[in-house]
Amino acid sequence: MTEKVISLIEEVLDVPRGTITEDTRIEDVEEWGSLEHVAIIGELEEKLGIAVPLEESLEIESVRELLDMCENCG
């Protein structure tokens, strides 16, 4: 599941494969703004069936936190 989530993030952000890892912090990725963040959350639900509550998703600061949330919500 981790690889699918990371691949989806890279697709939404339109960054090269391998750019995003579990240790990536959102603030370190120039392409990852608030609109992209909402798009990622939407794609997680649409393509992977992972529902992350929007309010909780706003507190996410890293890919690892997002993955943890996906495990808890999936």
Side-chain angles (χ1 to χ4, degrees), residues 43-62:
E43 290 291 299
L44 285 172
E45 186 163 1
E46 183 178 320
K47 293 188 176 175
L48 301 179
I50 299 170
V52 178
L54 184 58
E55 200 168 292
E56 291 179 29
S57 75
L58 298 175
E59 298 174 14
I60 295 171
E61 296 181 1
S62 68

Side-chain angles (χ1 to χ4, degrees), residues 6 10 15-21 24:
I6 288 174
E10 290 174 334
V15 296
R17 186 173 177 93
T19 300
I20 305 296
T21 69
T24 300

